[in-house]
Amino acid sequence: MKHNNLIGIYGGAFNPFHEGHKLVIKTSQKILNLKKLYLFPSYSNPMKPNNNLKDFNKNIIKLRLATKDLDVKVSSLEQSLKTKTTYDFLFKINKKCDLNKFVLIIGLDQIWQFHDWYEYEWVVNNINICIINRPRYDANIDKTIIYKKFSKYFMGSVENFLNSSAPNLHFIKTEGIEISSSSIRKKK
């Protein structure tokens, strides 16, 4: 695989950060050969109400501690930019630099609701998206709205994905870990 200069963008609530998130990070770094990987904890998620700044700041601290042994940078840029959606965030980044230098990393669970994201078509058309497998979500991917609408953009090989510009999607099939932040919070 040729040397890559892509920068990974991995966003989410990470509340709490868990082994599944670690697997996404390690898989992305290994398979995509990323130059850098940034974690962007959600400052405000319209699909998950009741976010507040106090919790966000605590989450940043916890996330930095949890990832101290991983080669990632936890950034509060989303809060600094006051963005509420992936589109807002990427649109602001795109004003400063070419989004073809980045890859958006999402868990497979997100593909089932991706069409609900604000301006999801703009997101698909303007940044490479790498989808990492999660158990229980991998059946019938071809039935998702995003696959039906953008199937021609799915790259079969990682090499094609890494050497193409957006629009471009790639699915990385890993064993995954059966875990979610929601289930961890329910147990507490």
Side-chain angles (χ1 to χ4, degrees), residues 56-95:
F56 178 80
N57 289 332
K58 278 186 194 176
N59 197 25
I60 286 280
I61 292 166
K62 287 181 190 177
L63 193 52
R64 285 182 176 146
L65 285 172
T67 60
K68 69 179 191 281
D69 295 331
L70 301 172
D71 188 19
V72 298
K73 171 123 174 83
V74 176
S75 173
S76 60
L77 183 61
E78 190 169 316
Q79 178 207 15
S80 301
L81 295 174
K82 304 280 190 256
T83 57
K84 294 185 178 185
T85 66
T86 301
Y87 163 79
D88 294 332
F89 183 67
L90 294 175
F91 189 80
K92 287 187 178 183
I93 290 174
N94 195 39
K95 287 183 175 182

Short mmCIF file of all heavy atoms in Angstrom, two decimals, residues 56-95:
data_model
loop_
_atom_site.label_atom_id
_atom_site.label_comp_id
_atom_site.label_asym_id
_atom_site.label_seq_id
_atom_site.Cartn_x
_atom_site.Cartn_y
_atom_site.Cartn_z
N PHE A 56 -19.70 18.34 28.07
CA PHE A 56 -18.75 18.31 26.96
C PHE A 56 -17.32 18.45 27.49
O PHE A 56 -16.44 17.67 27.11
CB PHE A 56 -19.05 19.43 25.97
CG PHE A 56 -18.07 19.48 24.83
CD1 PHE A 56 -18.19 18.60 23.76
CD2 PHE A 56 -17.02 20.38 24.84
CE1 PHE A 56 -17.27 18.63 22.72
CE2 PHE A 56 -16.10 20.41 23.81
CZ PHE A 56 -16.22 19.54 22.74
N ASN A 57 -17.09 19.41 28.35
CA ASN A 57 -15.74 19.62 28.89
C ASN A 57 -15.26 18.42 29.71
O ASN A 57 -14.10 18.02 29.61
CB ASN A 57 -15.68 20.90 29.72
CG ASN A 57 -15.77 22.14 28.84
OD1 ASN A 57 -15.38 22.11 27.68
ND2 ASN A 57 -16.31 23.21 29.38
N LYS A 58 -16.15 17.82 30.49
CA LYS A 58 -15.80 16.61 31.23
C LYS A 58 -15.45 15.48 30.27
O LYS A 58 -14.51 14.73 30.49
CB LYS A 58 -16.97 16.15 32.11
CG LYS A 58 -17.11 16.86 33.40
CD LYS A 58 -18.23 16.15 34.18
CE LYS A 58 -18.69 16.96 35.35
NZ LYS A 58 -19.83 16.32 36.03
N ASN A 59 -16.24 15.36 29.21
CA ASN A 59 -16.03 14.31 28.24
C ASN A 59 -14.68 14.46 27.53
O ASN A 59 -14.00 13.47 27.28
CB ASN A 59 -17.19 14.26 27.24
CG ASN A 59 -17.24 12.95 26.47
OD1 ASN A 59 -16.76 11.92 26.94
ND2 ASN A 59 -17.82 13.00 25.30
N ILE A 60 -14.31 15.68 27.21
CA ILE A 60 -13.00 15.93 26.57
C ILE A 60 -11.88 15.41 27.48
O ILE A 60 -10.97 14.71 27.03
CB ILE A 60 -12.80 17.44 26.28
CG1 ILE A 60 -13.64 17.89 25.10
CG2 ILE A 60 -11.33 17.78 26.05
CD1 ILE A 60 -13.08 17.55 23.75
N ILE A 61 -11.95 15.75 28.77
CA ILE A 61 -10.92 15.32 29.73
C ILE A 61 -10.89 13.79 29.81
O ILE A 61 -9.82 13.17 29.73
CB ILE A 61 -11.17 15.95 31.11
CG1 ILE A 61 -10.94 17.47 31.03
CG2 ILE A 61 -10.27 15.32 32.18
CD1 ILE A 61 -11.47 18.25 32.22
N LYS A 62 -12.06 13.17 29.96
CA LYS A 62 -12.13 11.70 30.03
C LYS A 62 -11.60 11.05 28.76
O LYS A 62 -10.88 10.05 28.81
CB LYS A 62 -13.57 11.25 30.27
CG LYS A 62 -14.09 11.51 31.65
CD LYS A 62 -15.53 11.00 31.74
CE LYS A 62 -16.20 11.42 33.02
NZ LYS A 62 -17.61 10.99 33.05
N LEU A 63 -11.96 11.62 27.63
CA LEU A 63 -11.54 11.06 26.34
C LEU A 63 -10.02 11.17 26.16
O LEU A 63 -9.38 10.24 25.67
CB LEU A 63 -12.28 11.77 25.21
CG LEU A 63 -12.23 11.16 23.83
CD1 LEU A 63 -12.63 9.70 23.84
CD2 LEU A 63 -13.12 11.95 22.88
N ARG A 64 -9.45 12.27 26.57
CA ARG A 64 -7.99 12.42 26.48
C ARG A 64 -7.28 11.41 27.36
O ARG A 64 -6.25 10.85 26.97
CB ARG A 64 -7.59 13.85 26.81
CG ARG A 64 -7.91 14.81 25.68
CD ARG A 64 -7.47 16.23 25.94
NE ARG A 64 -7.73 17.04 24.76
CZ ARG A 64 -8.09 18.31 24.79
NH1 ARG A 64 -8.20 18.95 25.94
NH2 ARG A 64 -8.31 18.97 23.67
N LEU A 65 -7.82 11.16 28.55
CA LEU A 65 -7.23 10.14 29.43
C LEU A 65 -7.37 8.75 28.83
O LEU A 65 -6.43 7.96 28.85
CB LEU A 65 -7.90 10.19 30.81
CG LEU A 65 -7.50 11.35 31.71
CD1 LEU A 65 -8.38 11.40 32.97
CD2 LEU A 65 -6.03 11.23 32.12
N ALA A 66 -8.54 8.45 28.30
CA ALA A 66 -8.81 7.12 27.75
C ALA A 66 -7.99 6.82 26.50
O ALA A 66 -7.73 5.66 26.19
CB ALA A 66 -10.30 6.98 27.44
N THR A 67 -7.57 7.86 25.79
CA THR A 67 -6.84 7.66 24.53
C THR A 67 -5.36 8.00 24.63
O THR A 67 -4.68 8.06 23.61
CB THR A 67 -7.48 8.49 23.40
OG1 THR A 67 -7.44 9.88 23.75
CG2 THR A 67 -8.92 8.07 23.14
N LYS A 68 -4.88 8.21 25.84
CA LYS A 68 -3.49 8.66 26.00
C LYS A 68 -2.47 7.70 25.41
O LYS A 68 -1.40 8.11 25.00
CB LYS A 68 -3.19 8.99 27.45
CG LYS A 68 -3.13 7.82 28.38
CD LYS A 68 -2.80 8.26 29.81
CE LYS A 68 -2.47 7.17 30.71
NZ LYS A 68 -3.36 6.34 31.32
N ASP A 69 -2.80 6.41 25.34
CA ASP A 69 -1.88 5.42 24.78
C ASP A 69 -2.13 5.14 23.30
O ASP A 69 -1.49 4.27 22.72
CB ASP A 69 -1.96 4.12 25.58
CG ASP A 69 -1.49 4.31 27.02
OD1 ASP A 69 -0.63 5.18 27.26
OD2 ASP A 69 -1.99 3.58 27.90
N LEU A 70 -3.08 5.83 22.72
CA LEU A 70 -3.39 5.67 21.30
C LEU A 70 -2.81 6.86 20.54
O LEU A 70 -2.67 7.95 21.08
CB LEU A 70 -4.91 5.61 21.09
CG LEU A 70 -5.63 4.48 21.81
CD1 LEU A 70 -7.14 4.66 21.68
CD2 LEU A 70 -5.20 3.13 21.27
N ASP A 71 -2.48 6.65 19.32
CA ASP A 71 -1.89 7.72 18.51
C ASP A 71 -3.00 8.56 17.86
O ASP A 71 -3.21 8.52 16.65
CB ASP A 71 -0.98 7.11 17.44
CG ASP A 71 -0.19 8.15 16.68
OD1 ASP A 71 -0.05 9.29 17.18
OD2 ASP A 71 0.27 7.83 15.57
N VAL A 72 -3.74 9.30 18.71
CA VAL A 72 -4.83 10.16 18.25
C VAL A 72 -4.76 11.50 18.95
O VAL A 72 -4.13 11.64 19.99
CB VAL A 72 -6.23 9.54 18.52
CG1 VAL A 72 -6.41 8.24 17.78
CG2 VAL A 72 -6.48 9.35 20.00
N LYS A 73 -5.43 12.45 18.36
CA LYS A 73 -5.55 13.77 18.98
C LYS A 73 -7.02 14.02 19.24
O LYS A 73 -7.84 13.94 18.32
CB LYS A 73 -4.98 14.83 18.05
CG LYS A 73 -5.25 16.25 18.50
CD LYS A 73 -3.97 17.02 18.66
CE LYS A 73 -4.20 18.48 18.97
NZ LYS A 73 -4.46 18.78 20.34
N VAL A 74 -7.35 14.31 20.49
CA VAL A 74 -8.73 14.65 20.86
C VAL A 74 -8.84 16.17 20.73
O VAL A 74 -8.06 16.91 21.33
CB VAL A 74 -9.06 14.19 22.29
CG1 VAL A 74 -10.46 14.65 22.69
CG2 VAL A 74 -8.91 12.68 22.41
N SER A 75 -9.79 16.61 19.95
CA SER A 75 -9.92 18.04 19.66
C SER A 75 -11.29 18.58 20.08
O SER A 75 -12.31 17.92 19.90
CB SER A 75 -9.72 18.28 18.17
OG SER A 75 -9.98 19.63 17.84
N SER A 76 -11.29 19.79 20.58
CA SER A 76 -12.54 20.48 20.92
C SER A 76 -12.93 21.47 19.83
O SER A 76 -13.69 22.41 20.08
CB SER A 76 -12.41 21.17 22.28
OG SER A 76 -11.36 22.11 22.24
N LEU A 77 -12.41 21.27 18.63
CA LEU A 77 -12.68 22.19 17.52
C LEU A 77 -14.17 22.34 17.25
O LEU A 77 -14.64 23.44 16.95
CB LEU A 77 -11.96 21.72 16.25
CG LEU A 77 -12.10 22.62 15.03
CD1 LEU A 77 -11.51 24.02 15.31
CD2 LEU A 77 -11.42 21.99 13.83
N GLU A 78 -14.92 21.26 17.38
CA GLU A 78 -16.35 21.34 17.13
C GLU A 78 -17.01 22.35 18.08
O GLU A 78 -17.88 23.12 17.68
CB GLU A 78 -16.99 19.96 17.28
CG GLU A 78 -18.42 19.94 16.81
CD GLU A 78 -19.00 18.55 16.69
OE1 GLU A 78 -18.31 17.65 16.17
OE2 GLU A 78 -20.14 18.36 17.12
N GLN A 79 -16.57 22.35 19.32
CA GLN A 79 -17.09 23.32 20.28
C GLN A 79 -16.64 24.73 19.92
O GLN A 79 -17.42 25.67 19.93
CB GLN A 79 -16.63 22.98 21.70
CG GLN A 79 -17.11 24.00 22.71
CD GLN A 79 -16.19 24.09 23.91
OE1 GLN A 79 -15.07 23.62 23.89
NE2 GLN A 79 -16.68 24.74 24.94
N SER A 80 -15.37 24.88 19.56
CA SER A 80 -14.83 26.20 19.19
C SER A 80 -15.56 26.79 18.01
O SER A 80 -15.82 27.99 17.96
CB SER A 80 -13.34 26.10 18.86
OG SER A 80 -12.62 25.60 19.94
N LEU A 81 -15.90 25.93 17.05
CA LEU A 81 -16.61 26.39 15.85
C LEU A 81 -18.12 26.52 16.08
O LEU A 81 -18.83 27.04 15.23
CB LEU A 81 -16.37 25.42 14.69
CG LEU A 81 -14.94 25.31 14.18
CD1 LEU A 81 -14.83 24.21 13.13
CD2 LEU A 81 -14.45 26.64 13.62
N LYS A 82 -18.59 25.99 17.22
CA LYS A 82 -20.03 26.01 17.56
C LYS A 82 -20.87 25.34 16.48
O LYS A 82 -21.93 25.82 16.12
CB LYS A 82 -20.52 27.45 17.80
CG LYS A 82 -19.75 28.21 18.85
CD LYS A 82 -20.20 27.82 20.23
CE LYS A 82 -19.63 28.73 21.29
NZ LYS A 82 -18.55 28.17 22.05
N THR A 83 -20.38 24.21 15.99
CA THR A 83 -21.13 23.49 14.97
C THR A 83 -22.06 22.47 15.61
O THR A 83 -21.76 21.94 16.68
CB THR A 83 -20.18 22.78 13.98
OG1 THR A 83 -19.32 21.90 14.71
CG2 THR A 83 -19.35 23.79 13.22
N LYS A 84 -23.17 22.21 14.94
CA LYS A 84 -24.17 21.30 15.49
C LYS A 84 -24.32 20.02 14.66
O LYS A 84 -24.90 19.06 15.12
CB LYS A 84 -25.52 21.99 15.59
CG LYS A 84 -25.53 23.11 16.59
CD LYS A 84 -26.91 23.68 16.75
CE LYS A 84 -26.87 24.76 17.81
NZ LYS A 84 -28.19 25.28 18.11
N THR A 85 -23.82 20.04 13.45
CA THR A 85 -23.96 18.87 12.58
C THR A 85 -22.64 18.58 11.89
O THR A 85 -21.75 19.44 11.81
CB THR A 85 -25.04 19.12 11.49
OG1 THR A 85 -24.58 20.15 10.61
CG2 THR A 85 -26.39 19.50 12.10
N THR A 86 -22.53 17.37 11.36
CA THR A 86 -21.33 17.00 10.59
C THR A 86 -21.19 17.93 9.39
O THR A 86 -20.08 18.37 9.07
CB THR A 86 -21.43 15.53 10.15
OG1 THR A 86 -21.55 14.71 11.32
CG2 THR A 86 -20.22 15.11 9.35
N TYR A 87 -22.30 18.24 8.75
CA TYR A 87 -22.26 19.15 7.62
C TYR A 87 -21.67 20.50 8.03
O TYR A 87 -20.76 21.02 7.36
CB TYR A 87 -23.66 19.35 7.05
CG TYR A 87 -23.77 20.57 6.16
CD1 TYR A 87 -23.30 20.54 4.85
CD2 TYR A 87 -24.31 21.76 6.64
CE1 TYR A 87 -23.37 21.66 4.04
CE2 TYR A 87 -24.39 22.88 5.83
CZ TYR A 87 -23.92 22.83 4.54
OH TYR A 87 -23.98 23.95 3.75
N ASP A 88 -22.17 21.10 9.11
CA ASP A 88 -21.65 22.40 9.57
C ASP A 88 -20.15 22.33 9.81
O ASP A 88 -19.40 23.22 9.41
CB ASP A 88 -22.33 22.84 10.89
CG ASP A 88 -23.80 23.13 10.75
OD1 ASP A 88 -24.25 23.52 9.66
OD2 ASP A 88 -24.51 22.98 11.76
N PHE A 89 -19.73 21.27 10.49
CA PHE A 89 -18.33 21.10 10.84
C PHE A 89 -17.46 20.97 9.58
O PHE A 89 -16.47 21.69 9.42
CB PHE A 89 -18.21 19.86 11.73
CG PHE A 89 -16.82 19.60 12.24
CD1 PHE A 89 -16.22 20.45 13.14
CD2 PHE A 89 -16.12 18.48 11.82
CE1 PHE A 89 -14.94 20.21 13.62
CE2 PHE A 89 -14.86 18.22 12.29
CZ PHE A 89 -14.25 19.09 13.20
N LEU A 90 -17.86 20.08 8.68
CA LEU A 90 -17.08 19.87 7.46
C LEU A 90 -17.11 21.08 6.54
O LEU A 90 -16.10 21.40 5.89
CB LEU A 90 -17.57 18.63 6.71
CG LEU A 90 -17.37 17.30 7.44
CD1 LEU A 90 -18.01 16.17 6.65
CD2 LEU A 90 -15.89 17.03 7.69
N PHE A 91 -18.23 21.76 6.48
CA PHE A 91 -18.35 22.95 5.64
C PHE A 91 -17.35 24.02 6.11
O PHE A 91 -16.69 24.66 5.29
CB PHE A 91 -19.78 23.50 5.69
CG PHE A 91 -20.03 24.59 4.69
CD1 PHE A 91 -20.29 24.29 3.37
CD2 PHE A 91 -20.01 25.93 5.08
CE1 PHE A 91 -20.52 25.31 2.43
CE2 PHE A 91 -20.23 26.94 4.16
CZ PHE A 91 -20.49 26.63 2.83
N LYS A 92 -17.22 24.18 7.43
CA LYS A 92 -16.26 25.16 7.96
C LYS A 92 -14.82 24.73 7.70
O LYS A 92 -13.97 25.55 7.38
CB LYS A 92 -16.52 25.41 9.44
CG LYS A 92 -17.78 26.23 9.64
CD LYS A 92 -17.99 26.64 11.08
CE LYS A 92 -19.25 27.51 11.16
NZ LYS A 92 -19.48 28.00 12.51
N ILE A 93 -14.53 23.45 7.85
CA ILE A 93 -13.19 22.95 7.54
C ILE A 93 -12.88 23.17 6.07
O ILE A 93 -11.78 23.58 5.70
CB ILE A 93 -13.05 21.46 7.92
CG1 ILE A 93 -13.06 21.29 9.43
CG2 ILE A 93 -11.78 20.86 7.33
CD1 ILE A 93 -13.07 19.85 9.89
N ASN A 94 -13.86 22.90 5.22
CA ASN A 94 -13.69 23.02 3.77
C ASN A 94 -13.36 24.46 3.34
O ASN A 94 -12.75 24.67 2.30
CB ASN A 94 -14.94 22.52 3.06
CG ASN A 94 -14.73 22.26 1.59
OD1 ASN A 94 -13.68 21.77 1.19
ND2 ASN A 94 -15.72 22.59 0.80
N LYS A 95 -13.76 25.44 4.12
CA LYS A 95 -13.41 26.84 3.81
C LYS A 95 -11.92 27.08 3.98
O LYS A 95 -11.36 27.97 3.35
CB LYS A 95 -14.19 27.79 4.71
CG LYS A 95 -15.65 27.90 4.35
CD LYS A 95 -16.33 28.91 5.25
CE LYS A 95 -17.76 29.14 4.83
NZ LYS A 95 -18.42 30.15 5.65
#
